[in-house]
Amino acid sequence: MSQFMSAATTRVGRAQRSAHSSGGFSKRVRQLGLAMWKHRWIYLITAPTLLYYLVFKYIPLYNAQIAFKEFQPLLGIEGSPWVGLQNLEGFLNSIYFGQLMTNTIFFSGARLVLGMPIAIVLALMLHETRFAFFRNVVQTITYLPHFLSWVIMFGILLMLLSPSDGLVNEIIKSFGGEPIAFLTTPNWFRQIVIGSDIWKETGWSTILYLAALLSISPELYEAAAVDGASRLQRIWNISLPGILPVIVLVTLLRLGNILQGGFTQIFVLYSLPVYSVGDIIDTWVYRSGILDFQFSLATAVGLFKGVIGLTLIMVSNQLAKRFAGRNLY
Amino acid sequence: MKTKWREEIGFQILVNGFLLAVLIAIVVPLWRVVMTSLTPLDLYNKSGVPAFMWPWDWSFAAYKQVLQQQLFLGAALNSAVITISGTALSLALTVPLAYALSTRSLPGRNLITTLILFTFLFHPGLIPDYLLVTRLGLQNTVLAIILPPAVSVYNTLVMRAFFEGIPEEIKEAARIDGANDLQILWRIVLPLSVPILLTIGMFYAVWFWNEFFTPIIYLNDLTMQPLPVLLRNILMSARLNEYLEYDAYTVSPVATLQSASVLLTMLPMLILYPMIQRYFTRGALIGAVKE
């Protein structure tokens, strides 16, 4: 085995030397073939993963053609008749379209506008504290909720918000107020969604900003201190400009994903009484596709969202190159 | 100089006061769940869930009751099977791809990167995936849960970044000694990559342990469901009896049973979390600050 290997290596080496001496198409093909042969083990071990991508990522793209068909399970994906853009037009003209877009963009927009500043402030405070042990404690505790599923979050929210024995309603009752069914009241549902998302993800999202803060040269702070700059001036004039590229990148990334309303969260927390303020594109696609068997309509809407998402990501990427000097991906 | 000191102390009070407020905001909800799960029935009926209880007042009746349920134990076993097999499969598929993408001289590397990045940036949505899984006949098997999300592009790129940091000279030296890529990956790269393998393994394990949506759509049988799905039923059901044997005359109030179920579902994460924490912050940073 190893004898064969070393023989192959020598052969490759010799071929590479000779390939360099003269050009030509057949030489280059031969050279490529040899380079591929040299890496044959890598291709071999990567083949299962590539097969996985082909089956589980590219066949769904093929299946997506039913967005332009009238899908009938008995006729199959190929056999169902084409209907053009009828499914998409049906959705765009339906009463759902405006409401779903509003709710989806509201949730992702609120996460950006409210969640991001809180994360930035938390990162700055973690960076400024002089008590390293306390910093570690706060980091450990605030990262933890990121790893909890939304089902567990639902349980935690119930213990806080349940009208019968939730903590918040106990407090309201002790002040003589009427208990509120937060999760099933349209006026409260959005606040609960945004608030619980901030509670869960803020700690974890400080990681990026902290990394950027740690890469700022300490000499800048020392020089500013010598010049008599106050702590707040140092944050404003050194820390914030230092993390600005990260802020720009995260903002653009979030804008590119503006149609991601947070499916699992909404799916766990919402219920019929709050559909008007809570239903997002993804939850609607789930209900109309899997529960109501309108496969073609649901696929058309999913595809619509995918195309818009891809477009937004490409635009964001161009902006990132321009304003932050690097690609998003 | 004195005013400087005063300013510094005032500033630190503000900063640490803010951090303390954040800490309290995170801890209080978790504390409430713990206290709810430990409240004994008579205390609950008299004055509800207390803000604080001494350990000798704690009642573990709710935990005992939940852990006696065959359905709950079965769900925990299902979750363990999904998490362990899913994480193993994911790592087995992610490591080779990350290694291939970290090999700069590999012909076709850019093509592969483009093909996987495209799947990251463009999803045709839920239904095409659903049609694929049903066509392959995977419903009501573990494969329907662990195969479709097996490889995460993000995790692959983070791992690639780590592999790229391993000095080329070490690999070259092994190559001169006659090692092939397989041996280099197995004997040199992987032993040097324990932190990233733990980090990515943890990310995958968390994902599979928490997954509840695909089990809901692909598994019809209640006895096949993992813990989060059962927990969701326990939390949502107006008729708790379908999932936990329960009647008002026996041991625990509904909220106590629910919060005990929540904490038992969290438990593996809570045990794993401190052990791997120091690795994952580093691992997540590698992905964040790519050069």
Side-chain angles (χ1 to χ4, degrees):
Chain A
M1 177 83 178
S2 69
Q3 239 170 354
F4 165 75
M5 294 294 316
S6 61
T9 326
T10 343
R11 221 166 43 227
V12 170
R14 205 180 301 140
Q16 269 175 339
R17 274 194 299 282
S18 65
H20 279 296
S21 54
S22 63
F25 181 72
S26 63
K27 280 269 164 59
R28 261 185 293 160
V29 170
R30 209 174 125 74
Q31 210 178 335
L32 178 68
L34 282 168
M36 290 178 72
W37 175 250
K38 194 182 148 204
H39 292 102
R40 64 195 173 284
W41 288 106
I42 299 188
Y43 292 115
L44 190 69
I45 57 172
T46 316
T49 316
L50 294 180
L51 183 68
Y52 158 83
Y53 269 96
L54 186 71
V55 174
F56 287 97
K57 301 292 163 178
Y58 280 92
I59 290 182
L61 283 180
Y62 173 81
N63 290 350
Q65 62 176 283
I66 65 163
F68 311 105
K69 288 184 161 180
E70 164 100 59
F71 179 65
Q72 290 153 25
L74 285 178
L75 295 177
I77 291 167
E78 291 83 8
S80 298
W82 292 95
V83 295
L85 292 174
Q86 191 188 303
N87 295 314
L88 184 62
E89 279 165 10
F91 172 69
L92 295 180
N93 293 325
S94 74
I95 49 164
Y96 305 112
F97 175 66
Q99 190 185 56
L100 291 175
M101 287 299 268
T102 311
N103 290 343
T104 305
I105 293 173
F106 177 86
F107 286 129
S108 49
R111 282 191 194 105
L112 177 67
V113 174
L114 296 174
M116 207 171 84
I118 298 177
I120 292 170
V121 172
L122 180 58
L124 288 170
M125 299 297 119
L126 284 168
H127 186 240
E128 291 294 338
T129 182
R130 288 186 166 213
F131 305 104
F133 176 76
F134 187 52
R135 179 195 298 130
N136 281 338
V137 170
V138 175
Q139 278 180 296
T140 303
I141 300 290
T142 56
Y143 291 171
L144 174 68
H146 171 77
F147 295 96
L148 305 180
S149 77
W150 276 108
V151 178
I152 285 171
M153 286 294 295
F154 178 50
I156 296 173
L157 285 171
L158 274 185
M159 299 310 137
L160 294 178
L161 305 175
S162 146
S164 56
D165 48 21
L167 177 62
V168 176
N169 275 315
E170 301 265 277
I171 294 170
I172 291 177
K173 277 185 265 183
S174 74
F175 282 101
E178 284 293 307
I180 302 168
F182 289 97
L183 282 170
T184 49
T185 308
N187 282 340
W188 281 104
F189 183 73
R190 284 179 167 175
Q191 288 89 315
I192 301 304
V193 168
I194 303 299
S196 57
D197 187 74
I198 289 175
W199 187 85
K200 186 174 185 298
E201 299 297 339
T202 298
W204 183 251
S205 50
T206 60
I207 285 188
L208 282 174
Y209 306 113
L210 279 172
L213 284 169
L214 288 175
S215 67
I216 297 173
S217 159
E219 287 156 25
L220 282 175
Y221 291 104
E222 285 157 23
V226 170
D227 288 349
S230 72
R231 281 284 177 181
L232 283 178
Q233 284 172 321
R234 277 180 258 174
I235 290 177
W236 187 254
N237 293 315
I238 300 173
S239 300
L240 274 178
I243 61 173
L244 192 61
V246 178
I247 297 178
V248 171
L249 280 176
V250 174
T251 310
L252 289 172
L253 202 61
R254 297 279 191 92
L255 285 176
N257 287 320
I258 198 97
L259 292 187
Q260 307 288 1
F263 173 74
T264 44
Q265 181 188 14
I266 305 287
F267 177 75
V268 174
L269 298 183
Y270 81 159
S271 53
L272 194 58
V274 293
Y275 276 2
S276 60
V277 291
D279 204 11
I280 56 173
I281 297 177
D282 289 331
T283 46
W284 189 85
V285 165
Y286 161 70
R287 288 202 315 278
S288 56
I290 303 222
L291 298 184
D292 300 341
F293 305 110
Q294 302 183 64
F295 289 115
S296 282
L297 176 63
T299 307
V301 176
L303 206 57
F304 167 77
K305 181 192 160 220
V307 170
I308 304 235
L310 181 65
T311 316
L312 288 172
I313 282 281
M314 308 249 267
V315 172
S316 296
N317 201 28
Q318 285 304 314
L319 292 171
K321 252 190 228 168
R322 182 132 179 236
F323 293 109
R326 57 170 267 195
N327 283 323
L328 288 175
Y329 300 106
Chain B
M1 215 57 218
K2 210 166 189 184
T3 51
K4 266 270 171 274
W5 266 109
R6 206 169 286 167
E7 190 199 308
E8 181 63 30
I9 290 169
F11 181 77
Q12 283 298 323
I13 289 173
L14 267 176
V15 164
N16 291 292
F18 177 86
L19 292 180
L20 188 66
V22 171
L23 197 61
I24 290 171
I26 301 289
V27 167
V28 165
L30 297 173
W31 179 255
R32 176 71 180 190
V33 180
V34 175
M35 281 298 117
T36 309
S37 74
L38 295 171
T39 306
L41 183 66
D42 51 344
L43 185 66
Y44 181 88
N45 286 340
K46 204 167 66 192
S47 55
V49 180
F52 180 81
M53 268 188 297
W54 295 107
W56 49 86
D57 292 327
W58 295 355
S59 155
F60 291 93
Y63 290 91
K64 239 181 251 167
Q65 198 172 345
V66 171
L67 287 174
Q68 275 166 6
Q69 303 297 318
Q70 211 50 54
L71 202 54
F72 194 89
L73 296 176
L77 185 67
N78 294 339
S79 273
V81 168
I82 289 173
T83 305
I84 294 169
S85 59
T87 307
L89 176 75
S90 290
L91 282 177
L93 288 175
T94 305
V95 167
L97 181 62
Y99 183 64
L101 294 178
S102 75
T103 308
R104 287 199 179 77
S105 55
L106 186 76
R109 188 176 78 121
N110 289 336
L111 178 70
I112 298 174
T113 309
T114 311
L115 286 176
I116 70 160
L117 260 185
F118 180 73
T119 68
F120 184 53
L121 301 177
F122 181 74
H123 308 273
L126 172 66
I127 308 300
D129 284 351
Y130 179 78
L131 291 177
L132 173 70
V133 170
T134 50
R135 253 187 159 188
L136 292 173
L138 297 179
Q139 310 108 291
N140 295 316
T141 68
V142 175
L143 286 178
I145 315 303
I146 64 171
L147 254 179
V151 182
S152 138
V153 175
Y154 180 80
N155 288 347
T156 308
L157 295 182
V158 172
M159 197 180 275
R160 178 193 70 174
F162 188 94
F163 287 164
E164 280 174 347
I166 294 172
E168 199 61 44
E169 293 82 38
I170 307 181
K171 293 187 238 171
E172 203 45 55
R175 209 162 274 136
I176 288 167
D177 289 343
N180 63 39
D181 275 304
L182 205 58
Q183 294 163 325
I184 291 173
L185 175 63
W186 190 252
R187 297 217 188 118
I188 296 169
V189 174
L190 288 186
L192 288 171
S193 306
V194 173
I196 198 71
L197 293 175
L198 282 176
T199 307
I200 301 294
M202 160 102 176
F203 286 163
Y204 278 130
V206 170
W207 163 269
F208 284 116
W209 184 264
N210 287 340
E211 181 62 354
F212 66 93
F213 179 65
T214 52
I216 288 176
I217 59 176
Y218 294 134
L219 307 177
N220 298 324
D221 194 346
L222 187 62
T223 58
M224 287 188 75
Q225 295 291 358
L227 264 187
V229 178
L230 183 68
L231 177 63
R232 180 167 173 267
N233 293 335
I234 289 173
L235 293 172
M236 285 180 49
S237 178
R239 299 175 305 278
L240 198 59
N241 265 319
E242 287 175 26
Y243 307 106
L244 286 178
E245 277 170 43
Y246 163 80
D247 66 80
Y249 301 104
T250 55
V251 275
S252 300
V254 177
T256 307
L257 287 172
Q258 288 177 330
S259 50
S261 310
V262 167
L263 288 166
L264 286 171
T265 308
M266 267 169 78
L267 195 64
M269 292 296 110
L270 290 182
I271 293 171
L272 217 63
Y273 176 74
M275 289 196 281
I276 313 197
Q277 199 219 356
R278 64 200 174 101
Y279 292 116
F280 71 62
T281 26
R282 224 183 324 159
L285 284 180
I286 293 164
V289 242
K290 65 166 187 191
E291 291 307 318

